C-alpha cells in the first residue's frame, strides 16, 4: 500500500513538474519577448535621435561652414572645404546607421533584400568578398518578429565575422525546405573552439533569440577552417509574436 | 554479545551520521537537524545497548530517545513546511509532544514506550503527507530522486507506516489473546528501520549533490 502510494506520488509529481516547466518556459519566453521589444524600442529611439537631432545639427554646421568659406581665401577655404566634405560623409554614414537601426524599414522590405543591402556595404571592406544567395523572396508568413530577429541575428553574425574571423570570404544563403527557412552564414576565417566559454555566451544570446521565434541554431566551427552558423525557422502554424 | 543485525544497523547509522558530519556545512538548517538527530540516535542506541547489557532494562533510555526524536523530527518538518501546512503542523506537534512527555512522566519509565512511539509515528506520517502535498503544490526542476524531501518523506512513511501497522496488529493480538507475536512482525520493523536510515543517507546525499549545483 505504502509502496503504491509512493509510486502514485512520483507520477503525480512528474505531472506537476511538467506543468511547472511549461509555466516557467512561458514566463521565460515573455521575459525574452519584452527584452527584445525594449531593445528594439531603444534602437528605434536612437535611430530617430540620430536622424532628427544629430542630423539637423550637422546640416546646420555644414551650412555655416559653407557660409564662412565664401568669405575666406585659399588655402583656408580648401581646409574648410575638406571639413565640409567630411561632414557630408559623416551625415551619410549617420543616415545609413539611422536607417539600419530603425524599425520602419522592416515591414515593407523582404528579409533577403535587407540582408543583401547590408552585405553590399560589408562587401566594400577591403579583403572580404561576400556571396549571397536566396531561394525565397520573403518569409512565408510575413512574420515581422521573425523577420526582425533573423535580420538582427544575421547582423550580429556578420559583425562577428568582420571583427573576429579574419575571413576573406563570407557566404550567406537563405533557402526553404518543406516550409522551413534556413539562414546560413559561413566564413573561411580562423574558426574557434566550440567549447570556449566566452564565445558560448554569445551563442547563448543567439539561441535565446532563436527560442523566441521557435528557431534552432547550429554552429559548426573548426579552428583554422572557418565557421558555419545555421538558423532554421521551422514551418509553424504560429511562430513568434506578430 | 551484539547480534549481526544490530552491528549492521549500527554500521548504517554510523555511515549516515559520518556522511552528515563531513558535509555538515553544505546543508540547509533542516538537513543539519537531521544529521544531529542521526548522531544522537547513534549515541542513544549505543547507550541502550550498554544499559540493556548492564541493567537488563533499557526502556528509560528508549523513552528519552523517542522524546528526542519527536522534538527533532517536529523541528525538521517545521523548517520544511510553509504556509497553512506549517500552521497545522506546529500546534499538532506541540500537542503530541506534551502528551508524550506526560506519558513518560506519568507512566513507569521501565515499560516499553509504545504510546510515545505511536504518537511519534502519527506525527511523522502527518508531517510527511503534508510535505508530499507541499511538493506537489510547489514542484521544482530538480528530478524527484535527487530531492532531499522525497527520500526523507518516503523513508519516514515506510518505517512509521509499518510501525503503526505492526503496533495495531500487536494491540489486536493482545486483545484477542492469540499468543506470542509472530516473528515476521519484528523482522518487518527491522527491515523498515534499515530502509529508514538508508533513505536518510540518500536524502543527505541528495542535499549535498544539490549544493554543488546551487
Amino acid at each position: 500500500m505504502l509502496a503504491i502510494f509512493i509510486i502514485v506520488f512520483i507520477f503525480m509529481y512528474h505531472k506537476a513538474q511538467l506543468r511547472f516547466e511549461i509555466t516557467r518556459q512561458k514566463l521565460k519566453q515573455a521575459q525574452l519577448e519584452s527584452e527584445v521589444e525594449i531593445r528594439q524600442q531603444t534602437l528605434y529611439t536612437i535611430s530617430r535621435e540620430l536622424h532628427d537631432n544629430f542630423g539637423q545639427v550637422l546640416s546646420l554646421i555644414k551650412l555655416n561652414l559653407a557660409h564662412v568659406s565664401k568669405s575666406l581665401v585659399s588655402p583656408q577655404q580648401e581646409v574648410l572645404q575638406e571639413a565640409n566634405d567630411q561632414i557630408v560623409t559623416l551625415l551619410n554614414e549617420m543616415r545609413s546607421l539611422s536607417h539600419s537601426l530603425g524599425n520602419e524599414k522592416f515591414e515593407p522590405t523582404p528579409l533577403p533584400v535587407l540582408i543583401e543591402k547590408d552585405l553590399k556595404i560589408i562587401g566594400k571592406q577591403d579583403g572580404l568578398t561576400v556571396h549571397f544567395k536566396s531561394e525565397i523572396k520573403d518569409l512565408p508568413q510575413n512574420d515581422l518578429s521573425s523577420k526582425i530577429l533573423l535580420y538582427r541575428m544575421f547582423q550580429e553574425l556578420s559583425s562577428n565575422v568582420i571583427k573576429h574571423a579574419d575571413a576573406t570570404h563570407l557566404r550567406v544563403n537563405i533557402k526553404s525546405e518543406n516550409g522551413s527557412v534556413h539562414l546560413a552564414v559561413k566564413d573561411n576565417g580562423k574558426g574557434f573552439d566550440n567549447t570556449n566559454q566566452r564565445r558560448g555566451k554569445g551563442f547563448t544570446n543567439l539561441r535565446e533569440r532563436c527560442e523566441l521565434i521557435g528557431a534552432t541554431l547550429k554552429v559548426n566551427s573548426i579552428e583554422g577552417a572557418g565557421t558555419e552558423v545555421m538558423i532554421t525557422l521551422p514551418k509553424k502554424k504560429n511562430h513568434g509574436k506578430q | 554479545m551484539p547480534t549481526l543485525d544490530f552491528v549492521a544497523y549500527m554500521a548504517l547509522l554510523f555511515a549516515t551520521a559520518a556522511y552528515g558530519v563531513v558535509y555538515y556545512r553544505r546543508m540547509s538548517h533542516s538537513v543539519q537537524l537531521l544529521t544531529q538527530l542521526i548522531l544522537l540516535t547513534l549515541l542513544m542506541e549505543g547507550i541502550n545497548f550498554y544499559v540493556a547489557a548492564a541493567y537488563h532494562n533499557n526502556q528509560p533510555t528508549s523513552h528519552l530517545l523517542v522524546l528526542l526524536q519527536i522534538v527533532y523530527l517536529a523541528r525538521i518538518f517545521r523548517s520544511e513546511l510553509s504556509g497553512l501546512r506549517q500552521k497545522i503542523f506546529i500546534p499538532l506537534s506541540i500537542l503530541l509532544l506534551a502528551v508524550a512527555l506526560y506519558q513518560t512522566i506519568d507512566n513507569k519509565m521501565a515499560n516499553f514506550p509504545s504510546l510515545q512511539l505511536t504518537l511519534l509515528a502519527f506525527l511523522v506520517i502527518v508531517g510527511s503527507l503534508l510535505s508530499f502535498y507541499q511538493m506537489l503544490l510547489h514542484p521544482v526542476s530538480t528530478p524527484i530522486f535527487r530531492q532531499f524531501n522525497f527520500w526523507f518523506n518516503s523513508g519516514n512513511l515506510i518505517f512509521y507506516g509499518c510501525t503503526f501497522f505492526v503496533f495495531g496488529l500487536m494491540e489486536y493480538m493482545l486483545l484477542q489473546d492469540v499468543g506470542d507475536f509472530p516473528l515476521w512482525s519484528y523482522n518487518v520493523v527491522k527491515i523498515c528501520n534499515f530502509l529508514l536510515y538508508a533513505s536518510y543517507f540518500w536524502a543527505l546525499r541528495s542535499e549535498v549533490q544539490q549544493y554543488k549545483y546551487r
Side-chain angles (χ1 to χ4, degrees), chain A residues 26-219:
Chain A
K26 278 183 183 169
L27 274 171
K28 195 181 166 193
Q29 177 99 357
Q31 194 187 355
L32 282 169
E33 276 173 9
S34 63
E35 269 175 28
V36 169
E37 267 173 36
I38 291 166
R39 204 179 299 162
Q40 210 60 43
Q41 196 56 44
T42 310
L43 289 177
Y44 182 61
T45 310
I46 294 169
S47 152
R48 256 187 18 206
E49 199 65 17
L50 279 174
H51 185 267
D52 298 348
N53 195 3
F54 290 85
Q56 292 302 317
V57 174
L58 276 175
S59 299
L60 204 65
I61 293 170
K62 185 174 158 270
L63 277 174
N64 285 339
L65 283 177
H67 183 71
V68 172
S69 92
K70 281 177 191 169
S71 56
L72 292 173
V73 285
S74 198
Q76 287 93 336
Q77 200 176 34
E78 281 160 16
V79 173
L80 268 188
Q81 186 56 44
E82 201 176 313
N84 209 11
D85 290 346
Q86 282 167 346
I87 286 170
V88 171
T89 313
L90 186 61
L91 257 172
N92 288 338
E93 291 282 330
M94 215 164 62
R95 274 180 194 143
S96 166
L97 180 65
S98 161
H99 189 66
S100 159
L101 294 176
N103 277 350
E104 65 271 20
K105 65 173 175 171
F106 288 116
E107 199 125 29
T109 319
L111 179 71
V113 177
L114 288 169
I115 290 177
E116 198 173 13
K117 274 186 183 173
D118 275 22
L119 284 173
K120 273 181 187 162
I121 299 166
I122 293 167
K124 285 176 188 167
Q125 300 216 9
D126 279 345
L128 185 66
T129 313
V130 295
H131 311 268
F132 178 65
K133 189 181 168 191
S134 177
E135 291 176 8
I136 59 165
K137 287 185 177 170
D138 200 1
L139 290 181
Q141 294 169 355
N142 194 26
D143 177 353
L144 187 61
S145 287
S146 297
K147 192 197 289 185
I148 294 174
L149 281 171
L150 280 172
Y151 176 63
R152 293 291 180 219
M153 283 191 275
F154 153 75
Q155 282 186 316
E156 190 168 333
L157 287 168
S158 54
S159 155
N160 283 345
V161 173
I162 295 163
K163 281 187 209 162
H164 311 294
D166 288 340
T168 53
H169 287 271
L170 170 65
R171 196 175 293 276
V172 180
N173 284 328
I174 306 174
K175 61 178 182 178
S176 177
E177 260 176 26
N178 304 323
S180 299
V181 175
H182 304 275
L183 167 69
V185 178
K186 190 177 178 182
D187 69 70
N188 65 341
K190 59 185 177 185
F192 60 87
D193 177 10
N194 271 319
T195 56
N196 188 306
Q197 289 293 314
R198 273 186 66 204
R199 285 193 188 275
K201 277 182 187 171
F203 283 112
T204 305
N205 288 338
L206 285 171
R207 275 206 177 84
E208 282 178 354
R209 289 191 203 177
C210 282
E211 272 178 35
L212 267 176
I213 51 173
T216 53
L217 180 83
K218 200 175 159 189
V219 183

Side-chain angles (χ1 to χ4, degrees), chain B:
Chain B
M1 193 62 186
T3 61
L4 191 67
D5 287 356
F6 183 72
V7 173
Y9 168 63
M10 289 300 276
L12 178 61
L13 259 179
F14 179 78
T16 312
Y19 187 84
V21 170
V22 169
Y23 294 107
Y24 193 77
R25 284 177 179 217
R26 293 189 186 182
M27 293 166 173
S28 64
H29 177 62
S30 50
V31 189
Q32 286 181 341
L33 284 174
L34 180 64
T35 304
Q36 289 172 23
L37 174 64
I38 297 164
L39 263 175
L40 280 171
T41 309
L42 177 69
L43 185 72
M44 291 301 290
E45 291 287 15
I47 294 170
N48 267 354
F49 179 77
Y50 170 75
V51 172
Y55 304 101
H56 306 290
N57 188 348
N58 63 0
Q59 298 309 340
T61 45
S62 295
H63 276 270
L64 188 61
L65 178 60
V66 174
L67 287 176
L68 275 172
Q69 283 175 325
I70 293 178
V71 171
Y72 267 92
L73 287 165
R75 286 176 70 195
I76 293 167
F77 281 116
R78 195 195 63 182
S79 306
E80 288 297 312
L81 296 172
S82 60
L84 182 66
R85 293 164 295 282
Q86 197 188 52
K87 283 176 187 157
I88 293 169
F89 188 79
I90 291 173
L92 179 76
S93 58
I94 293 169
L95 178 73
L96 293 183
L97 178 66
V99 175
L101 204 61
Y102 173 76
Q103 280 295 322
T104 305
I105 296 163
D106 193 48
N107 284 4
K108 285 175 185 166
M109 293 274 278
N111 291 340
F112 183 68
S114 56
L115 183 77
Q116 288 89 326
L117 272 171
T118 311
L119 292 173
L120 170 65
F122 179 71
L123 181 77
V124 174
I125 288 169
V126 171
S128 298
L129 290 176
L130 286 173
S131 182
F132 267 153
Y133 180 56
Q134 184 168 289
M135 281 174 79
L136 285 178
L137 289 180
H138 307 288
V140 289
S141 305
T142 314
I144 190 165
F145 298 115
R146 286 188 197 165
Q147 288 186 38
F148 165 81
N149 274 322
F150 171 73
W151 291 107
F152 178 66
N153 293 330
S154 298
N156 280 334
L157 266 185
I158 288 170
F159 175 71
Y160 290 102
C162 285
T163 310
F164 222 79
F165 169 74
V166 170
F167 278 14
L169 187 77
M170 285 175 172
E171 177 76 12
Y172 172 79
M173 288 174 76
L174 273 174
L175 287 172
Q176 299 291 317
D177 199 17
V178 288
D180 291 338
F181 299 130
L183 188 66
W184 65 261
S185 61
Y186 292 106
N187 287 335
V188 164
V189 174
K190 258 187 212 173
I191 291 167
C192 290
N193 207 13
F194 271 98
L195 284 176
L196 175 73
Y197 286 101
S199 67
Y200 279 179
F201 178 84
W202 214 253
L204 296 183
R205 195 178 176 277
S206 304
E207 170 76 5
V208 173
Q209 293 292 316
Q210 280 307 301
Y211 179 88
K212 286 180 189 170
Y213 300 109
R214 262 176 224 157

